[in-house]
Amino acid sequence: MSSANNLKKSLLVLALATTLAACSDNDNDPIVEEPVVVEPIVVEPVISEFTITFSNLTAGQPLSPLSVIAFEDEAPWTFGTTASVGLEMLAESGANEEYLSYENALAAVSAEGAIGPGETTTVIITVEEQETLNLSFAAMLGNTNDAFTGLSSLDVSTLEVGGSLSRTTTAYDAGTEANTETAETVPGPAASGEGFNEIRDDTADIITMHPGIVSNQDGLSTSALGVEHKFDNPVSKIVITRTQ
């Protein structure tokens, strides 16, 4: 029995030594930590929305679809400077695709259709909120050679939701086409003549105040326009309301 007990003791000591050795090895193994996955913080842009109401105040001039451009610093057109090709096309024909592709635009939108004398239309523009945010407007006076109306730059940076700004606009001459008023050169319903022509034959070639038209009743026998197409300033009224 003594030999059997000694054998059991030896086996227990061996088993305990093996267990301790295993524990010792585990303590020396490097601890591998699972990588911490940090989810990126996604900041959704704040969107500003503006509803523009555009009213034609003339008695006999249809206005082309209103073009609205949002920008930070450099306006798409400025009084006293040379008109871009985009503005030339808009002022001579009412077509605004080129004008709305302005390279510094944050957003650009066109009203759906032309607006007749005394009519009102609405257009909505949405843009990411900016520290500096301006809006520019332009529309052609259809029964002219290259007259347009609008606002070069209007700061709406501090306009709060629900707030509105109201402005009236005057008539400008794009300075890209001579004001001959002939049937061949006036694209509006008074003549249905040619619209855009890339040849610039105005002597100024800069944006100025429009002098008004000279009708055939005024003695300009070649004019396709009558006294009913005359206009006074202001030409239009623009109301901007921030709706978001």
Side-chain angles (χ1 to χ4, degrees):
M1 291 294 293
S2 177
S3 298
N5 288 336
N6 289 336
L7 178 59
K8 289 180 178 178
K9 290 180 179 179
S10 298
L11 291 174
L12 288 173
V13 170
L14 179 60
L16 179 61
T18 303
T19 301
L20 291 175
C23 291
S24 176
D25 289 343
N26 289 339
D27 289 342
N28 292 331
D29 288 343
I31 299 174
V32 179
E33 296 182 356
E34 293 292 328
V36 178
V37 178
V38 179
E39 295 292 335
I41 299 175
V42 178
V43 179
E44 295 292 336
V46 177
I47 301 299
S48 298
E49 179 184 270
F50 299 90
T51 298
I52 296 102
T53 301
F54 181 56
S55 301
N56 183 342
L57 302 182
T58 72
Q61 284 288 339
L63 303 179
S64 68
L66 180 68
S67 299
V68 185
I69 293 178
F71 65 98
E72 287 186 279
D73 301 313
E74 188 175 348
W77 65 271
T78 306
F79 182 80
T81 65
T82 299
S84 66
V85 173
L87 182 62
E88 178 186 13
M89 296 177 73
L90 183 151
E92 291 183 9
S93 69
N96 59 9
E97 292 85 357
E98 178 72 19
Y99 177 74
L100 291 173
S101 65
Y102 178 58
E103 62 181 357
N104 293 324
L106 298 172
V109 66
S110 170
E112 289 187 2
I115 173 173
E119 294 182 347
T120 296
T121 191
T122 299
V123 61
I124 296 174
I125 188 169
T126 57
V127 60
E128 288 188 17
E129 191 172 73
Q130 307 288 325
E131 184 175 347
T132 301
L133 181 60
N134 298 287
L135 296 179
S136 184
F137 308 88
M140 179 196 183
L141 279 71
N143 289 323
T144 67
N145 284 101
D146 61 344
F148 73 100
T149 191
L151 298 171
S152 173
S153 178
L154 181 62
D155 189 348
V156 294
S157 305
T158 59
L159 190 62
E160 297 181 352
V161 175
S164 295
L165 295 172
S166 179
R167 297 288 187 274
T168 55
T169 73
T170 56
Y172 297 97
D173 192 315
T176 59
E177 185 173 295
N179 297 331
T180 62
E181 301 175 6
T182 61
E184 293 79 15
T185 62
V186 173
S192 300
E194 179 187 53
F196 169 66
N197 188 320
E198 63 182 5
I199 298 174
R200 297 195 174 192
D201 59 359
D202 190 287
T203 56
D205 198 22
I206 59 171
I207 300 169
T208 60
M209 300 301 297
H210 199 281
I213 67 168
V214 181
S215 71
N216 46 47
Q217 288 100 321
D218 294 321
L220 183 60
S221 60
T222 56
S223 175
L225 306 179
V227 292
E228 67 274 17
H229 303 120
K230 288 193 170 188
F231 54 87
D232 294 317
N233 289 319
V235 170
S236 74
K237 181 180 179 180
I238 297 176
V239 179
I240 304 98
T241 303
R242 183 172 179 182
T243 46
Q244 179 179 320

